[in-house]
Amino acid sequence: MDIQFALSILLFVLPAYVANALPVLLGGGTPMDLGKSLGGKRILGDGKTIRGFFAGVLGGTVAGGILTLLIRVPFFPSAQFQFLAFALMSFGTMAGDALGSFLKRRLGMQDGKPFILDQLMFLAVALLLAYPLSSPEPYAPIPLVALFAATYVLHLGSNFVANRLGWKKVPW
Ligand code: CTP
Ligand code: MG
């Protein structure tokens, strides 16, 4: 994988990273599940809020719009496709994040407990939604594995820093 390809892949997922990071700073308030439970366990939990969801979707989409004005990622046939993919990925990020929490709650895990789904589910759903709009290059096995591995490390590192800065209760 050459540097230019690796950088293109990073730009490809940058709006998803922005969407994933913003709720930590801007979230809070009413939970998306409105406090409701399913089979004695919360549907999503207090960590998934309506404000956080919309902050992620809108913030990621705005970041994607700015990025599209500044630079074209080579996997998209046009700027319009790129922006649409970034908007869909921002939504996919927040939907995947909520799906991860839904699965954690079904497994009986408390809010905030670290789990591999925290790092990877948002990326999986974001990539899935962008798939129809992108060329297949980022979805080849080697870039995919590299992307998930890099995201895992970056997510753990940034959460550790966010915790040290007092933005996040737990370091994961
Ligand atoms: N957050 C939010 N709304 C969202 C997602 C996240 O308000 N839709 C905020 C919450 O304050 C949450 C913090 O970002 O506590 C960290 O998010 P995350 O790690 O995804 O949630 P957890 O609290 O760890 O809960 P879970 O176990 O469900 O992942
Ligand atoms: Mg968490």
Side-chain angles (χ1 to χ4, degrees):
M1 212 178 344
D2 63 21
I3 283 281
Q4 200 169 347
F5 184 72
L7 280 177
S8 300
I9 297 269
L10 274 184
L11 289 174
F12 180 76
V13 296
L14 195 59
Y17 285 0
V18 171
N20 190 248
L22 282 179
V24 178
L25 298 172
L26 303 177
T30 309
M32 291 165 74
D33 66 7
L34 304 174
K36 293 196 171 64
S37 295
L38 185 72
K41 290 164 185 142
R42 282 291 293 274
I43 299 176
L44 298 175
D46 284 331
K48 303 294 114 129
T49 68
I50 295 172
R51 197 169 77 209
F53 183 90
F54 284 106
V57 175
L58 292 178
T61 301
V62 169
I66 295 170
L67 191 61
T68 302
L69 291 175
L70 295 175
I71 196 162
R72 285 287 314 284
V73 177
F75 311 124
F76 299 108
S78 69
Q80 286 88 337
F81 269 61
Q82 178 174 320
F83 176 63
L84 185 60
F86 284 165
L88 284 172
M89 286 167 97
S90 300
F91 171 77
T93 292
M94 297 315 302
D97 180 59
L99 177 62
S101 294
F102 178 80
L103 294 174
K104 282 171 77 175
R105 300 299 91 80
R106 303 289 72 69
L107 293 170
M109 303 180 83
Q110 274 299 321
D111 292 38
K113 270 204 78 185
F115 194 45
I116 189 157
L117 290 179
D118 297 338
Q119 282 79 35
L120 302 181
M121 190 55 107
F122 84 90
L123 182 63
V125 178
L127 288 175
L128 203 68
L129 293 193
Y131 185 76
L133 295 166
S134 166
S135 70
E137 281 114 305
Y139 295 88
I142 290 174
L144 266 193
V145 170
L147 190 53
F148 276 98
T151 302
Y152 185 77
V153 172
L154 212 80
H155 196 274
L156 288 181
S158 57
N159 280 334
F160 181 77
V161 172
N163 173 255
R164 282 302 171 97
L165 292 172
W167 295 347
K168 205 172 187 293
K169 277 172 280 174
V170 288
W172 44 75

